Amino acid sequence: MHHSPRETDPLLKPGDGEQQQQQQQQQPAYSVLTTSQRALTVTLVALAALFSPVSSAVYFPALGTLADELHVPLSLINLTVTVYLVMQGLSPSLVGSWSDSVGRRPLYIICFAVYIGSSVGLALQSTYPALLVLRMVQSCAGSPMPALAQAVVADFAISAERGRYTSYVSSGALLGPALGPLIGGLLIHRFDWRATFWFLAIFASLVFVLILAFLPETCRAIVDRGQLVPPTWLHSSLTAFWHSKGQIRVDAAAHRGDDKPPDRRKKAASAANPIESLRVIKDPETGLVLLYAAFILAGYQVVSANISEELYTRRQFSTLQVGLCFLPFGMGAFLSALTTGHIVDWNFRRLARIHGWNPDKGRQQDLSQFPIEKARLQVGMPIVGIGALSIAGYGWAMEKQAPIALPLVCLFVVGWIISSSVNSVSVLIVDLHLSRPATATAANNLVRCLMGALAVACMGPVIERIGIGWTATTICALYICLLPLLLVVWIKGPAWRRTKEAAAD
């Protein structure tokens, strides 16, 4: 098969591919987790990642009801959405670098305990100040979970298979904006708005029990490839106990009986620093990717936050009908989770073969001489235009009071395409920071959530002034006009990486 010169322009020198292949075959497996253990781990962290976005959107159908019951204007209720998004960005930046040092399980335990307590408090409170404060606490506890999920995947998945695993765990975060209003609409229709928070508390308690019992510690600073015995009870699970007499002990013998590489955990523990997320953002390549991803998610947040208001106020839909109208949004995000990761992994393998080496499953490849930016962005960039046009279509369908089927079709496409683009970019961000995946994902959350909070805060006044049609058109134009940011990363990224690695050496 013939490839164009641009496609085959190699970063690898002749013979380097074969040399890398030989070096990979001499390396131990990147992770000792079995296929079934990986499936269980991904399922658990994907469930955990649901709570942050579901909590954000679960009471969208009840915004008007809350304003009436608490005797405050709707603008103050919308403020609880904004502060939730602000804390959604800040909290992971504090937790991310910490989990890269002390492990994933201890942070999951802390986050779930605080989240469950705040959800119970929200179900019991009856004043606006309590609602505002407890929503902030709930956001602080739930928001790190998507970042922790991405970090868990980076702990055991090599680059050649990271795309599909990232899509699976991201599906929880991307389904949240659709599932939250649907769940909220059903519960509020049958009971009242307090039922939404009782639901979150009960569901979180069930997932918490499963994580305590079955989620293994995967942080490579703590258990390396998973072959080292977890150092404390906080890091131990039933999974670790089941395998403590088998694979873990055998592999530990390869370390000459030393379960702790010299000073590794001590060094890791001293490296915890919440400012690390800001250092990730300062990196030119990562900063451009994060900036564009933030704009993508800001538009996504505006659409998801606007659906309730448009249907509730302009079309007089009930809370149940509003919740059901989020279904196409969620179906699109779910389709993205099933398809995008496999496409991203296929493109990685395709480029790897073009560059003269075949990725060996189970062993991490050296990406220093591989165009990882091209491998990921070739999937994410071309489809952005479709998502942008779908957002514009949604806006004008709502503006002109078109039959409800038209905006719902647009929402399906938005959920599918925008989720796919975000997934491919999320994989790239982790690829660029393999040694600190939680910190990198936290930086991603920080930028996109702050951008989302700003967008949602400005949404009301802007829509009142120019209408939802022109607002959606502006988002569409921003998506397309800012695409050159990713093109710069595509072209300049490999050189920037080599310069950074040379400076580090």
Side-chain angles (χ1 to χ4, degrees), residues 113-197:
V114 177
Y115 180 90
I116 294 168
S118 61
S119 297
V120 171
L122 283 163
L124 297 175
Q125 58 79 34
S126 299
T127 64
Y128 177 76
L131 174 68
L132 183 65
V133 172
L134 287 171
R135 283 289 283 174
M136 293 173 64
V137 175
Q138 187 185 51
S139 179
C140 287
S143 299
M145 294 185 194
L148 291 173
Q150 297 279 3
V152 168
V153 166
D155 289 335
F156 69 77
I158 61 173
S159 296
E161 59 187 12
R162 190 172 296 125
R164 69 175 183 272
Y165 283 121
T166 297
S167 290
Y168 295 153
V169 299
S170 295
S171 65
L174 294 171
L175 279 170
L179 290 179
L182 175 59
I183 294 170
L186 291 171
L187 291 172
I188 294 166
H189 178 76
R190 179 64 179 84
F191 303 103
D192 61 9
W193 61 266
R194 296 180 189 276
T196 61
F197 296 115

Side-chain angles (χ1 to χ4, degrees), residues 359-370:
D360 183 8
K361 287 188 176 182
R363 290 170 174 80
Q364 174 60 37
Q365 297 77 28
D366 179 9
L367 301 179
S368 61
Q369 297 297 316
F370 182 78

Side-chain angles (χ1 to χ4, degrees), residues 36-52:
S36 60
Q37 288 174 324
R38 294 182 183 205
L40 176 61
T41 299
V42 167
T43 301
L44 291 176
V45 298
L47 283 173
L50 266 173
F51 287 102
S52 177

Side-chain angles (χ1 to χ4, degrees), residues 18-30 225 254 358 360-364:
E18 292 80 359
Q19 183 179 358
Q20 280 197 13
Q21 193 73 17
Q22 293 174 359
Q23 291 174 350
Q24 286 173 215
Q25 292 174 353
Q26 297 172 359
Q27 296 174 356
Y30 190 65
R225 299 178 294 114
N358 186 30
D360 183 8
K361 287 188 176 182
R363 290 170 174 80
Q364 174 60 37

